[in-house]
Amino acid sequence: MKFQEGQFQPTSSYPNVLLVDDEDALLASVRRILRKQCSLKTCSDPHEAIRLLRQSPDSFDIIISDLRMPGIDGVEFLTIAREIAPDVPRVLLSGSLSENALKEAINKAGISRVIVKPVPPEVMLSTVQGLTTGQGDASRPSRQMALRVQDALKTNHTVFFQPRVNADDFAVAGQEALSRFPGLQQTFTVEEIISGAEDHPVIGDLTFKVLGFIDQHRDVIAKQYGNHPISVNLSPNSISDINFVNALIDFLRAHPGLPLLEFEVTEQSNMAFTAEFQDNLPRLLSAGYKVFLDDFGAGNNSIALLRRGHFSGLKLDKSLIARLDDHNTIDSSFVEWVTQAAHQLGMSVIAEGVETLDSATFLQHIGVDQLQGYYFGRPGALLLEGSDIQKDPGTTFSR
């Protein structure tokens, strides 16, 4: 079945899916299960699918392609699709794919998922739901939030800074750069916004937006906060993309006047266990940048990632620190053990979410290196000339 011009009419009610495969049997079985829950367009010719994408690059929420097709294979097709519609998730169907070929496919075409054939129709449905609405997989974002963030980056994004202090004397030791979206935060929390964009290319755009802000205002930052390190958050999904890592290192080399930068990577993503992540992360360390394992203790990946190394230090999650004020023996013992273990591995330890003097004193006593939280300062805006002093919109959001 080939695409006929004018046949496809996108709908906003269901995910719009483009499936490219020359196997009529697969197209028929997938069509049966998806047609009631998706707006599905199938093409048996990748050239026709490319023509369709060029005509309507924003019409689809997900693109799925078989690997083996005449003329253009699936990796080549999805690479072209990435150039035409870079923000649309791409899925590759394959009967067999070696590890090296898989790496090449992920890096070249930016593939979100690889599904091994034969494909049960219910697996196809689960994949579509996971990549477009977040159903069936809590780690997947809604595409709608990613698009909101993409739009907000144009006119409705700024950067706030929150201080870190040395635990021994509470003197300022650094700042964390935190994205703020004043418009979106009237409806969503910062956590919802960031997590909604986490598995989408826009999360890499957000990183460069923050770095660009720091570069643009480097003199004001130095005057207001001093010459302390600034930590910037990176997504595991971004680090798993060799193109992002290359672009990041090129940017850092091209801007030698930037303040001293450090990076934080959350532990709450299975992407951190991929071979691509493990290969790419050391490149930042080799370039001379510290990388911290963020949100340590919030999920199930903490200890496993700690074993793999590659990190300069870790940040204890605020959920752990909050329970210290309840005199929770288990949590306080765990925090003390983690601190000692990290130090034995040559890693520094930062505690975030410190809101009371009791917590700060305990963390100081067990040897935590730095502290961050409302007790020492809330996130704040730069005092730019001619601008109003801004409050953190993250503290005033409403549903």
Side-chain angles (χ1 to χ4, degrees):
M1 174 180 174
K2 290 188 176 182
F3 162 72
Q4 300 295 321
E5 289 188 22
Q7 282 185 348
F8 177 70
Q9 296 295 327
T11 172
S12 59
S13 301
Y14 299 101
N16 298 309
V17 181
L18 174 61
L19 174 62
V20 185
D21 197 314
D22 61 344
E23 293 184 19
D24 291 336
L26 176 65
L27 293 176
S29 65
V30 170
R31 195 180 297 116
R32 282 194 298 272
I33 194 168
L34 293 187
R35 63 185 178 182
K36 293 184 179 180
Q37 302 187 56
C38 301
S39 178
L40 179 66
K41 175 64 205 149
T42 58
C43 291
S44 59
D45 184 345
H47 295 282
E48 294 285 353
I50 290 170
R51 187 155 62 92
L52 173 60
L53 283 172
R54 292 194 189 282
Q55 291 173 347
S56 304
D58 299 322
S59 295
F60 296 100
D61 297 305
I62 184 170
I63 302 169
I64 304 171
S65 173
D66 188 21
L67 174 63
R68 300 189 181 280
M69 296 184 294
I72 300 177
D73 69 22
V75 175
E76 291 179 274
F77 165 71
L78 291 175
T79 301
I80 296 172
R82 182 185 193 181
E83 296 172 355
I84 300 171
D87 298 328
V88 179
R90 294 166 292 280
V91 176
L92 181 67
L93 308 178
S94 171
S96 61
L97 202 62
S98 69
E99 183 176 348
N100 288 335
L102 176 59
K103 288 182 180 180
E104 180 183 1
I106 291 173
N107 289 329
K108 184 177 180 181
I111 293 169
S112 301
R113 294 272 186 91
V114 175
I115 303 178
V116 178
K117 297 173 67 175
V119 185
E122 59 271 16
V123 171
M124 187 74 78
L125 175 60
S126 175
T127 300
V128 170
Q129 291 176 332
L131 287 173
T132 58
T133 66
Q135 297 175 16
D137 185 346
S139 69
R140 293 288 175 181
S142 72
R143 177 166 158 76
Q144 288 73 21
M145 180 60 78
L147 294 176
R148 291 187 186 106
V149 172
Q150 191 173 56
D151 187 60
L153 288 181
K154 300 173 184 176
T155 59
N156 200 243
H157 170 267
T158 190
V159 178
F160 279 40
F161 295 87
Q162 186 176 25
R164 300 195 318 254
V165 304
N166 289 320
D168 56 356
D169 59 6
F170 296 168
V172 174
Q175 303 284 335
E176 180 179 2
L178 299 165
S179 285
R180 292 295 183 260
F181 307 84
L184 284 178
Q185 286 178 243
Q186 297 303 311
T187 306
F188 305 98
T189 66
V190 177
E191 289 77 11
E192 288 171 328
I193 296 168
I194 298 298
S195 64
E198 182 73 22
D199 201 13
H200 187 278
V202 75
I203 200 70
D205 297 336
L206 177 58
T207 297
F208 284 106
K209 189 76 171 180
V210 171
L211 291 173
F213 183 96
I214 294 172
D215 183 43
Q216 180 183 359
H217 301 296
R218 62 175 73 176
D219 294 336
V220 179
I221 292 171
K223 182 178 179 180
Q224 188 168 334
Y225 299 125
N227 294 312
H228 299 295
I230 297 176
S231 62
V232 175
N233 290 280
L234 295 180
S235 165
N237 297 278
S238 296
I239 294 176
S240 298
D241 182 352
I242 188 62
N243 296 314
F244 171 86
V245 175
N246 287 337
L248 175 60
I249 292 176
D250 288 345
F251 179 92
L252 297 172
R253 287 173 177 167
H255 296 79
L258 279 167
L260 180 62
L261 295 177
E262 300 172 345
F263 295 101
E264 299 180 14
V265 182
T266 183
E267 67 96 56
Q268 299 183 63
S269 171
N270 288 329
M271 288 297 292
F273 290 100
T274 63
E276 292 72 30
F277 180 94
Q278 296 294 324
D279 289 343
N280 294 339
L281 184 62
R283 295 190 59 202
L284 280 175
L285 296 167
S286 298
Y289 294 93
K290 292 183 178 180
V291 182
F292 289 84
L293 179 58
D294 197 11
D295 302 321
F296 189 93
N300 300 319
N301 297 331
S302 299
I303 302 300
L305 285 173
L306 194 62
R307 290 195 189 103
R308 298 197 176 208
H310 299 324
F311 294 99
S312 312
L314 57 86
K315 292 189 74 174
L316 298 167
D317 187 69
K318 59 187 177 183
S319 62
L320 282 176
I321 306 307
R323 292 194 291 269
L324 295 178
D325 287 329
D326 297 330
H327 304 289
N328 187 311
T329 303
I330 293 177
D331 287 307
S332 60
S333 298
F334 177 73
V335 168
E336 184 172 5
W337 174 81
V338 168
T339 301
Q340 294 173 355
H343 286 164
Q344 290 174 3
L345 294 172
M347 301 168 63
S348 57
V349 179
I350 302 171
E352 58 184 351
V354 181
E355 298 190 358
T356 66
L357 178 59
D358 284 347
S359 292
T361 303
F362 172 77
L363 293 165
Q364 181 186 61
H365 174 71
I366 65 172
V368 169
D369 299 287
Q370 293 185 6
L371 310 173
Q372 180 179 341
Y374 285 179
Y375 182 75
F376 300 102
R378 292 175 176 267
L382 283 180
L383 302 179
L384 300 175
E385 185 175 345
S387 66
D388 296 330
I389 296 177
Q390 301 177 54
K391 293 182 179 180
D392 185 353
T395 64
T396 58
F397 80 95
S398 60
R399 271 292 187 191

